[in-house]
Amino acid sequence: MAAAASLLLLGACVTSGEQATLVQKPKTPPVRTVSNFSEALRCMDTLMWNHGKRDIFITSNGIPDATGRVAGGTKEMLITAVSRMSERSNAFRFVDFEPTLDDVNALYWMIGVQPNFRAPSYYVRGAITQLDDNVVSEAASAGISLPTFDLGISADQVMSVISVDLNIGELATRQIIPGLSASNSLAIVSSGKGADAGAVIGKAGLSFNVSLNKSEGLHQAVRTLIELSTIEVLGKMTRTPYWQCLGIDQTNPAFAGQARDWFDGMAPSQRVAYVQRVLLAEGYYDGPDSGQLDERTRDAISRYQADNDLIATGRIDFDLYQRMLAQPSGQRGTDKGPGAPRLQSVSNAGGEGLPRAAPAPAGAAPDLVLSSDRGPQPRYRAGETLVVRVQPTANGFVYCYYQDAAGSVARIFPNRFQPDSFLQANQQVEVPPGSQKPFNLRMDRPGASETIACIVSPDEIGTRIADRFKTEDLQPIPGATLADVVGAYGSIQGTSVRSRQMAVQVLPAVSAQR
């Protein structure tokens, strides 16, 4: 027979064949954590859905306690808050990656190596910055004493203040973005009431003590502050009216000023594109969000203004923007399901349309790593195809051109299959893209040298180049050399550029073997 197993329970040894006695069971059943801002987080999820925000990749190294007096899982609180804001909208995707200096270097190595890895565009940093005990302390007491009996009562209240600060930074540049911050404080109240009674029974003294204490939990206060601050900073980053989810009126001067800052900070084409998307979702407009204020857009604006108690001018002003911001598509009917109309959903995976850190100053353009599927000094045989690999060292706008053996020059990036010229730091792009190449760069003339040139700038300068170079992608630029194109980018005023070139040697084709 096998030896009897033993189980240690509350200091008692129980062997097989004996029945264990349950000493005590938990008196409080487990419950789901519900904070003061649980409904606000759900509201933010709906708000992100209505405004078409999705796929914003963020990370955080946690929210440390700078006071050294609060031990709590603040990073997990932050992740939970972000998750609850994204259940329906998929607005945010949290990358579990701690952006310390060494880890950022490792992160850059992972880009392009792990095919499913997406580097975060932004990171949240902050701390528990303040914990002041006994900011307010109040106490009162009274007592009465008789020859054979005495009685005393007392009441006290102690208030402490705890603060959390959060900021948003751009991961690629490690710059904190101005204006995307939150600093909130919470008062924690501890109160108590007590009664003391004493009596003499014969020669023996007997005392009774009765007390009632009410204390608001410190860690629950931290969770509340982190959720509130997360709503604020992510609402500011996505430029959505987060104050609606906090029960604050749209006309509040502080938040009206916030909306005014957003409006003033938008380029005219961005304002038009935003209005066109709202009008499209509301059924007033059926065209593209081109950013052009044409007659059809003006007519749609006028009809929207007339239906929403605004003066029907057909112009885009702050009153129109504020009304659209307060009531985007889907906000009127909160019972609408996932198929309800909303603003055109735009992926923000690369930070498109979101605030970015200030561009690098002149003379500090990012550099480029230019290579191919056969290295930085490639050799191809006639008939083989070239794959260009380009990778900026910092966020920038990249433009690549190809000069064949006959001297014809054509733009190969951006192109109709890869229309976005903006690349994140150390993001490697292949031209042509994908495993099934939509076009080929074929080497045709043995003994010749063909050249690739790429230009990078911290600013969008593709639209500012001379008109003679603004031909369609993959089409020869009449009468232009590669030096002409590179020189044209370098001559654009008010920005800095850097270029790299790669020569491709073409060898004779291998003869077929009989």
Side-chain angles (χ1 to χ4, degrees):
M1 177 181 293
S6 61
L7 171 65
L8 184 63
L9 176 63
L10 298 178
C13 183
V14 181
T15 60
S16 61
E18 299 180 5
Q19 184 176 3
T21 301
L22 182 62
V23 177
Q24 186 176 11
K25 63 180 181 179
K27 296 181 179 180
T28 304
V31 296
R32 177 183 174 88
T33 300
V34 177
S35 68
N36 293 338
F37 290 101
S38 293
E39 287 301 320
L41 293 171
R42 188 176 296 109
C43 170
M44 285 294 292
D45 189 20
T46 302
L47 194 65
M48 295 296 171
W49 168 270
N50 291 336
H51 281 263
K53 305 296 182 181
R54 65 179 178 89
D55 297 334
I56 305 170
F57 287 76
I58 63 174
T59 189
S60 177
N61 199 23
I63 313 298
D65 173 27
T67 69
R69 299 162 62 190
V70 182
T74 53
K75 181 177 180 180
E76 305 308 318
M77 293 178 185
L78 173 66
I79 293 174
T80 300
V82 172
S83 177
R84 290 182 178 178
M85 292 170 60
S86 308
E87 291 179 358
R88 176 190 181 196
S89 62
N90 290 321
F92 301 101
R93 297 182 182 272
F94 193 95
V95 181
D96 191 14
F97 192 93
E98 298 185 355
T100 61
L101 181 60
D102 292 338
D103 286 341
V104 168
N105 294 331
L107 173 71
Y108 292 155
W109 282 102
M110 293 176 69
I111 300 174
V113 176
Q114 298 291 340
N116 296 324
F117 181 80
R118 283 303 307 264
S121 302
Y122 301 93
Y123 66 97
V124 181
R125 69 159 297 155
I128 301 172
T129 53
Q130 178 183 352
L131 178 57
D132 295 332
D133 287 332
N134 303 330
V135 175
V136 177
S137 180
E138 298 177 352
S141 61
I144 185 172
S145 179
L146 298 174
T148 59
F149 181 83
D150 58 81
L151 175 68
I153 59 173
S154 64
D156 63 85
Q157 179 171 288
V158 177
M159 182 179 297
S160 302
V161 177
I162 185 169
S163 300
V164 169
D165 287 55
L166 291 187
N167 291 276
I168 299 288
E170 193 176 38
L171 186 66
T173 62
R174 305 295 289 171
Q175 295 184 51
I176 300 299
I177 303 176
L180 302 190
S181 62
S183 180
N184 295 295
S185 300
L186 186 68
I188 306 169
V189 178
S190 299
S191 58
K193 297 178 180 179
D196 296 304
V200 177
I201 301 178
K203 294 184 179 180
L206 179 63
S207 63
F208 305 91
N209 293 304
V210 181
S211 64
L212 171 65
N213 289 291
K214 177 184 176 183
S215 179
E216 299 179 3
L218 180 63
H219 294 90
Q220 184 62 30
V222 171
R223 179 184 294 276
T224 298
L225 282 175
I226 288 178
E227 290 179 348
L228 172 61
S229 300
T230 301
I231 289 172
E232 184 177 351
V233 295
L234 296 184
K236 288 179 178 178
M237 187 179 76
T238 55
R239 293 179 178 174
T240 52
Y242 61 92
W243 49 85
Q244 295 177 356
C245 296
L246 301 176
I248 301 173
D249 190 77
Q250 179 80 10
T251 59
N252 184 286
F255 298 104
Q258 177 78 81
R260 168 64 76 173
D261 290 342
W262 294 347
F263 180 77
D264 293 341
M266 297 170 70
S269 60
Q270 290 178 318
R271 295 176 186 173
V272 176
Y274 173 79
V275 169
Q276 286 172 330
R277 289 197 294 271
V278 175
L279 294 173
L280 177 63
E282 294 285 358
Y284 290 90
Y285 176 75
D286 60 358
D289 55 338
S290 61
Q292 300 295 323
L293 188 58
D294 52 23
E295 192 62 32
R296 182 164 55 166
T297 304
R298 291 180 185 274
D299 179 67
I301 292 173
S302 295
R303 288 186 283 113
Y304 180 91
Q305 288 171 325
D307 290 345
N308 288 272
D309 301 323
L310 299 172
I311 300 175
T313 62
R315 297 194 302 268
I316 297 176
D317 53 20
F318 176 68
D319 289 337
L320 175 67
Y321 173 76
Q322 189 177 31
R323 178 60 58 88
M324 289 182 166
L325 194 67
Q327 193 179 50
S329 177
Q331 195 73 4
R332 296 174 181 173
T334 55
D335 58 338
K336 296 181 180 180
R342 59 168 174 162
L343 294 186
Q344 178 181 341
S345 182
V346 179
S347 173
N348 300 109
E352 297 86 350
L354 300 179
R356 290 193 176 119
D367 203 352
L368 276 173
V369 177
L370 185 58
S371 186
S372 72
D373 55 343
R374 298 189 182 178
Q377 298 178 332
R379 297 191 299 172
Y380 291 83
R381 294 194 177 275
E384 293 182 332
T385 57
L386 164 71
V387 175
V388 178
R389 291 175 176 171
V390 58
Q391 178 177 318
T393 59
N395 284 12
F397 296 85
V398 177
Y399 311 88
C400 293
Y401 292 80
Y402 166 62
Q403 179 176 283
D404 64 14
S408 296
V409 177
R411 175 167 52 84
I412 60 173
F413 183 86
N415 55 64
R416 67 197 68 177
F417 308 102
Q418 299 164 296
D420 191 1
S421 63
F422 176 78
L423 297 181
Q424 295 186 60
N426 294 285
Q427 176 187 351
Q428 187 181 86
V429 170
E430 289 190 350
V431 183
S435 56
Q436 297 180 348
K437 307 300 182 187
F439 63 91
N440 289 318
L441 303 175
R442 190 178 303 278
M443 307 295 103
D444 293 324
R445 187 174 299 182
S449 178
E450 307 193 2
T451 308
I452 305 294
C454 291
I455 300 98
V456 63
S457 171
D459 304 306
E460 169 63 272
I461 56 176
T463 58
R464 296 164 58 188
I465 196 171
D467 289 340
R468 61 173 292 216
F469 301 110
K470 293 180 181 178
T471 58
E472 289 186 37
D473 60 300
L474 311 178
Q475 298 296 321
I477 303 175
T481 66
L482 207 55
D484 294 335
V485 175
V486 174
Y489 278 100
S491 64
I492 297 175
Q493 299 295 321
T495 189
S496 55
V497 299
R498 186 167 295 183
S499 64
R500 288 287 181 264
Q501 296 191 15
M502 178 179 65
V504 182
Q505 185 179 357
V506 184
L507 305 176
V510 177
S511 301
Q513 299 293 328
R514 293 188 178 182

